[in-house]
Amino acid sequence: MAWLVPGPLVGAIAKALLPRRDPGGLTGTTAIGTAGAFLGGRLSARFLDRPVQPEFFDATTWGSAIAGALVLLIGYRLLFGNSRD
């Protein structure tokens, strides 16, 4: 639930790092950002022994959230890549 707030921002950062027109618009960006933040936080806690910090401005938490969103965005583009070129 805590990832709902930074999710849209994380999605926007991921799209800024990998610019391209994707279907979904703001809704897609928000969904990818929120799911990516959740995925990045879980993977970081599980495999890097770095639990999600309760502080909003923890650089490691934000880094893992953005990395998770980038992974989901790349996967999304691999699945639906040429739908809006």
Side-chain angles (χ1 to χ4, degrees), residues 10-29:
V10 168
I13 292 170
K15 277 202 158 182
L17 292 173
L18 292 173
R20 193 167 126 198
R21 292 180 59 185
D22 295 311
L26 182 62
T27 304
T29 299

Side-chain angles (χ1 to χ4, degrees), residues 9-19 32-33 65-66 69-70 73 77:
L9 183 58
V10 168
I13 292 170
K15 277 202 158 182
L17 292 173
L18 292 173
I32 287 173
I66 293 168
L70 286 171
L73 185 58
R77 288 181 179 174

Side-chain angles (χ1 to χ4, degrees), residues 7-83:
L9 183 58
V10 168
I13 292 170
K15 277 202 158 182
L17 292 173
L18 292 173
R20 193 167 126 198
R21 292 180 59 185
D22 295 311
L26 182 62
T27 304
T29 299
T30 301
I32 287 173
T34 303
F38 181 77
L39 174 69
R42 291 294 163 210
L43 291 177
S44 174
R46 172 97 176 156
F47 296 111
L48 301 177
D49 196 30
R50 176 77 176 155
V52 176
Q53 300 297 314
E55 294 88 19
F56 187 75
F57 293 106
D58 180 57
T60 305
T61 301
W62 278 88
S64 64
I66 293 168
L70 286 171
V71 167
L72 288 182
L73 185 58
I74 290 168
Y76 178 78
R77 288 181 179 174
L78 287 174
L79 291 174
F80 305 106
N82 295 327
S83 62

